Amino acid sequence: MAKIVAVTDAIQSLAEAEIRLGLRRTEDEDFFREWQNDLPPLSTTEQEALKVVWRRLLYHRADSELLEGAVMLLVVAPLLELAGFYDPPFKLKAEAAIEIAVNDGEEILRGRIDALVLQNQLWVLVLEAKKTMISVRSALPQALAYMMSNQQHQPTFGMLTNGDDILFVKLCRTPTPQYDLSRSFAIYTVVNELHAAFRVLKQFGHLISQAFD
Protein backbone atom coordinates (compact mmCIF):
# COMPACT_ATOMS: atom_id res chain seq x y z
CA MET A 1 0.00 0.00 0.00
CA ALA A 2 1.29 3.43 -0.91
CA LYS A 3 2.46 5.67 1.90
CA ILE A 4 0.41 8.88 2.20
CA VAL A 5 2.35 12.03 3.08
CA ALA A 6 1.24 15.64 3.31
CA VAL A 7 2.75 17.87 0.64
CA THR A 8 3.77 20.40 3.30
CA ASP A 9 5.72 17.70 5.15
CA ALA A 10 7.28 16.04 2.10
CA ILE A 11 8.37 19.15 0.22
CA GLN A 12 9.98 21.97 2.14
CA SER A 13 12.76 22.99 -0.23
CA LEU A 14 13.31 23.40 -3.95
CA ALA A 15 15.73 20.46 -3.96
CA GLU A 16 13.08 18.19 -2.40
CA ALA A 17 10.51 19.34 -4.95
CA GLU A 18 12.81 18.58 -7.87
CA ILE A 19 13.88 15.17 -6.53
CA ARG A 20 10.48 13.90 -5.41
CA LEU A 21 8.62 15.18 -8.47
CA GLY A 22 11.28 14.41 -11.06
CA LEU A 23 11.42 18.06 -12.01
CA ARG A 24 14.22 20.17 -13.35
CA ARG A 25 14.59 23.82 -14.16
CA THR A 26 15.22 24.16 -17.86
CA GLU A 27 18.13 26.09 -19.32
CA ASP A 28 16.24 26.68 -22.56
CA GLU A 29 15.85 30.45 -22.87
CA ASP A 30 12.87 29.99 -25.21
CA PHE A 31 10.92 27.80 -22.77
CA PHE A 32 9.21 30.67 -20.93
CA ARG A 33 8.89 33.52 -23.40
CA GLU A 34 5.28 34.23 -22.43
CA TRP A 35 6.31 36.66 -19.71
CA GLN A 36 8.59 38.61 -22.06
CA ASN A 37 7.38 38.65 -25.67
CA ASP A 38 4.41 40.37 -27.32
CA LEU A 39 2.81 41.48 -24.08
CA PRO A 40 -0.54 43.23 -24.52
CA PRO A 41 -0.60 47.01 -24.00
CA LEU A 42 -2.50 48.60 -21.16
CA SER A 43 -5.55 50.70 -21.78
CA THR A 44 -5.99 54.05 -20.02
CA THR A 45 -8.69 52.47 -17.86
CA GLU A 46 -6.36 49.64 -16.83
CA GLN A 47 -3.55 52.05 -15.99
CA GLU A 48 -5.83 54.11 -13.77
CA ALA A 49 -7.20 51.01 -12.05
CA LEU A 50 -3.67 49.74 -11.37
CA LYS A 51 -2.73 53.07 -9.81
CA VAL A 52 -5.64 52.64 -7.39
CA VAL A 53 -4.46 49.12 -6.51
CA TRP A 54 -0.91 50.40 -5.92
CA ARG A 55 -2.01 53.33 -3.75
CA ARG A 56 -4.15 51.05 -1.61
CA LEU A 57 -1.25 48.63 -1.22
CA LEU A 58 1.05 51.41 -0.06
CA TYR A 59 -1.59 52.82 2.29
CA HIS A 60 -2.23 49.54 4.10
CA ARG A 61 1.37 48.33 3.92
CA ALA A 62 2.57 51.49 5.69
CA ASP A 63 1.23 50.28 9.04
CA SER A 64 2.70 46.77 9.04
CA GLU A 65 3.41 43.67 6.99
CA LEU A 66 0.30 42.26 5.32
CA LEU A 67 -1.16 38.89 6.18
CA GLU A 68 -2.27 36.47 3.50
CA GLY A 69 -5.92 37.51 3.50
CA ALA A 70 -5.05 41.18 3.08
CA VAL A 71 -2.75 40.39 0.15
CA MET A 72 -5.57 38.47 -1.50
CA LEU A 73 -8.00 41.37 -1.10
CA LEU A 74 -5.64 44.22 -1.94
CA VAL A 75 -3.54 42.69 -4.73
CA VAL A 76 -4.65 39.33 -6.12
CA ALA A 77 -8.42 39.80 -6.40
CA PRO A 78 -8.22 43.22 -8.12
CA LEU A 79 -5.62 42.00 -10.62
CA LEU A 80 -7.60 38.88 -11.51
CA GLU A 81 -10.79 40.86 -11.91
CA LEU A 82 -9.13 43.50 -14.07
CA ALA A 83 -7.57 40.76 -16.25
CA GLY A 84 -10.97 39.15 -16.78
CA PHE A 85 -10.35 35.90 -14.89
CA TYR A 86 -13.70 36.00 -13.10
CA ASP A 87 -15.66 35.93 -16.37
CA PRO A 88 -16.20 33.29 -19.13
CA PRO A 89 -14.44 31.17 -20.24
CA PHE A 90 -12.63 30.98 -16.91
CA LYS A 91 -13.75 28.88 -13.97
CA LEU A 92 -12.45 29.34 -10.44
CA LYS A 93 -11.56 26.76 -7.81
CA ALA A 94 -10.39 27.56 -4.29
CA GLU A 95 -8.71 25.29 -1.74
CA ALA A 96 -8.88 22.29 -4.06
CA ALA A 97 -7.61 18.93 -2.80
CA ILE A 98 -4.64 17.55 -4.76
CA GLU A 99 -2.91 14.18 -4.93
CA ILE A 100 0.39 13.25 -6.58
CA ALA A 101 1.94 9.79 -6.89
CA VAL A 102 5.74 9.74 -6.56
CA ASN A 103 8.47 7.10 -6.33
CA ASP A 104 6.71 4.85 -8.85
CA GLY A 105 3.50 5.03 -6.88
CA GLU A 106 5.05 4.00 -3.57
CA GLU A 107 4.22 7.37 -2.06
CA ILE A 108 1.14 9.59 -2.39
CA LEU A 109 1.49 13.28 -1.67
CA ARG A 110 -1.75 14.93 -0.63
CA GLY A 111 -2.66 18.46 0.19
CA ARG A 112 -5.29 21.15 0.02
CA ILE A 113 -4.25 24.10 -2.06
CA ASP A 114 -4.66 27.45 -0.40
CA ALA A 115 -4.78 28.99 -3.83
CA LEU A 116 -6.94 29.97 -6.74
CA VAL A 117 -6.95 27.65 -9.76
CA LEU A 118 -8.29 29.06 -12.98
CA GLN A 119 -9.25 26.71 -15.82
CA ASN A 120 -6.64 24.20 -14.56
CA GLN A 121 -3.95 26.26 -16.26
CA LEU A 122 -3.32 29.25 -14.03
CA TRP A 123 -2.49 28.62 -10.37
CA VAL A 124 -2.44 31.69 -8.16
CA LEU A 125 -0.76 31.23 -4.79
CA VAL A 126 -0.58 33.79 -2.03
CA LEU A 127 2.22 32.96 0.37
CA GLU A 128 1.15 30.94 3.36
CA ALA A 129 3.37 33.24 5.34
CA LYS A 130 2.69 35.28 8.44
CA LYS A 131 4.31 38.37 7.00
CA THR A 132 5.03 39.92 3.63
CA MET A 133 8.70 40.10 4.64
CA ILE A 134 9.14 36.42 3.73
CA SER A 135 10.54 35.99 0.22
CA VAL A 136 8.05 35.15 -2.48
CA ARG A 137 10.43 32.37 -3.64
CA SER A 138 9.74 30.48 -0.42
CA ALA A 139 6.38 29.44 -1.92
CA LEU A 140 8.00 27.92 -5.01
CA PRO A 141 8.56 24.32 -3.79
CA GLN A 142 4.93 23.76 -2.82
CA ALA A 143 3.70 25.70 -5.86
CA LEU A 144 5.56 23.28 -8.12
CA ALA A 145 4.00 20.32 -6.29
CA TYR A 146 0.52 21.75 -6.72
CA MET A 147 1.10 22.53 -10.38
CA MET A 148 2.44 19.00 -11.00
CA SER A 149 -0.90 17.61 -9.80
CA ASN A 150 -2.45 18.95 -13.01
CA GLN A 151 -2.76 15.97 -15.35
CA GLN A 152 -3.43 18.05 -18.45
CA HIS A 153 -0.75 18.17 -21.12
CA GLN A 154 -0.78 21.88 -21.85
CA PRO A 155 1.61 24.22 -20.06
CA THR A 156 0.60 25.34 -16.58
CA PHE A 157 1.30 28.85 -15.32
CA GLY A 158 1.62 30.04 -11.75
CA MET A 159 1.61 33.41 -10.03
CA LEU A 160 3.16 33.69 -6.56
CA THR A 161 2.95 36.79 -4.45
CA ASN A 162 3.57 38.01 -0.92
CA GLY A 163 2.17 41.47 -1.57
CA ASP A 164 5.58 43.02 -2.12
CA ASP A 165 6.66 40.99 -5.15
CA ILE A 166 5.14 38.82 -7.86
CA LEU A 167 6.88 35.83 -9.44
CA PHE A 168 5.57 33.85 -12.41
CA VAL A 169 6.21 30.16 -13.11
CA LYS A 170 5.72 27.96 -16.15
CA LEU A 171 5.64 24.18 -15.86
CA CYS A 172 5.32 21.49 -18.54
CA ARG A 173 4.85 17.81 -17.69
CA THR A 174 5.77 16.47 -21.14
CA PRO A 175 8.02 15.28 -22.67
CA THR A 176 9.87 15.58 -19.34
CA PRO A 177 8.72 17.61 -16.32
CA GLN A 178 10.47 20.97 -16.35
CA TYR A 179 9.85 24.52 -15.25
CA ASP A 180 11.25 28.02 -15.39
CA LEU A 181 10.71 31.34 -13.65
CA SER A 182 10.17 34.94 -14.62
CA ARG A 183 12.04 37.73 -12.95
CA SER A 184 10.59 39.00 -9.71
CA PHE A 185 8.33 42.04 -10.11
CA ALA A 186 8.71 44.47 -7.20
CA ILE A 187 5.11 45.71 -7.20
CA TYR A 188 5.43 47.54 -3.88
CA THR A 189 8.45 49.54 -5.03
CA VAL A 190 7.16 51.32 -8.15
CA VAL A 191 3.82 51.34 -9.91
CA ASN A 192 5.44 50.47 -13.24
CA GLU A 193 6.41 47.08 -11.81
CA LEU A 194 2.74 46.43 -11.07
CA HIS A 195 1.92 47.47 -14.63
CA ALA A 196 4.51 45.04 -16.00
CA ALA A 197 3.28 42.15 -13.86
CA PHE A 198 -0.31 42.80 -14.89
CA ARG A 199 0.64 42.69 -18.57
CA VAL A 200 2.09 39.20 -18.00
CA LEU A 201 -1.10 38.09 -16.23
CA LYS A 202 -3.17 39.52 -19.06
CA GLN A 203 -1.02 37.63 -21.56
CA PHE A 204 -1.68 34.36 -19.72
CA GLY A 205 -5.40 35.08 -19.95
CA HIS A 206 -5.18 35.55 -23.71
CA LEU A 207 -3.19 32.34 -24.18
CA ILE A 208 -5.52 30.22 -22.04
CA SER A 209 -8.72 31.65 -23.55
CA GLN A 210 -7.49 30.81 -27.07
CA ALA A 211 -8.16 27.15 -26.32
CA PHE A 212 -11.87 27.99 -26.05
CA ASP A 213 -12.20 29.96 -29.30
Side-chain angles (χ1 to χ4, degrees):
M1 181 179 293
K3 179 182 178 182
I4 298 176
V5 184
V7 170
T8 51
D9 293 333
I11 297 177
Q12 299 182 359
S13 70
L14 187 56
E16 287 177 327
E18 292 181 342
I19 292 171
R20 284 182 175 269
L21 302 172
L23 267 173
R24 68 176 182 88
R25 183 173 179 179
T26 182
E27 297 181 358
D28 182 359
E29 295 181 358
D30 293 324
F31 177 82
F32 192 11
R33 289 290 184 185
E34 291 89 347
W35 74 271
Q36 303 175 69
N37 295 348
D38 301 321
L39 297 179
L42 299 181
S43 67
T44 301
T45 300
E46 289 170 335
Q47 293 179 43
E48 292 303 315
L50 289 171
K51 285 181 182 178
V52 172
V53 172
W54 189 67
R55 289 172 186 147
R56 286 175 178 165
L57 174 62
L58 265 60
Y59 173 72
H60 290 280
R61 184 70 170 82
D63 291 332
S64 64
E65 294 83 16
L66 299 177
L67 299 184
E68 180 182 343
V71 173
M72 182 66 74
L73 290 172
L74 292 170
V75 178
V76 175
L79 292 184
L80 293 178
E81 181 179 13
L82 191 59
F85 282 107
Y86 294 155
D87 302 311
F90 298 102
K91 291 289 187 178
L92 173 67
K93 295 180 184 178
E95 297 189 3
I98 62 103
E99 184 174 289
I100 316 166
V102 297
N103 296 331
D104 295 325
E106 295 181 2
E107 198 171 48
I108 303 294
L109 305 185
R110 285 181 179 173
R112 184 167 293 277
I113 307 170
D114 192 10
L116 303 176
V117 185
L118 296 114
Q119 215 61 47
N120 286 331
Q121 281 190 263
L122 177 63
W123 301 62
V124 181
L125 285 84
V126 177
L127 254 64
E128 298 179 27
K130 303 305 180 188
K131 297 181 179 180
T132 47
M133 291 176 65
I134 297 178
S135 168
V136 70
R137 290 178 181 82
S138 66
L140 182 59
Q142 291 183 16
L144 292 173
Y146 295 151
M147 293 168 70
M148 276 291 288
S149 71
N150 182 12
Q151 298 300 314
Q152 299 189 33
H153 294 298
Q154 65 260 45
T156 303
F157 300 102
M159 184 181 88
L160 317 180
T161 184
N162 60 357
D164 281 356
D165 304 289
I166 287 179
L167 180 69
F168 294 104
V169 187
K170 179 181 178 180
L171 185 148
C172 290
R173 292 177 58 93
T174 56
T176 58
Q178 54 187 329
Y179 72 96
D180 203 4
L181 311 175
S182 71
R183 71 171 178 88
S184 182
F185 294 85
I187 62 171
Y188 172 74
T189 306
V190 291
V191 70
N192 284 345
E193 284 287 274
L194 182 60
H195 289 186
F198 177 75
R199 292 178 68 197
V200 177
L201 191 60
K202 191 175 175 181
Q203 173 83 311
F204 291 168
H206 288 171
L207 294 172
I208 296 170
S209 63
Q210 285 176 0
F212 299 89
D213 291 341

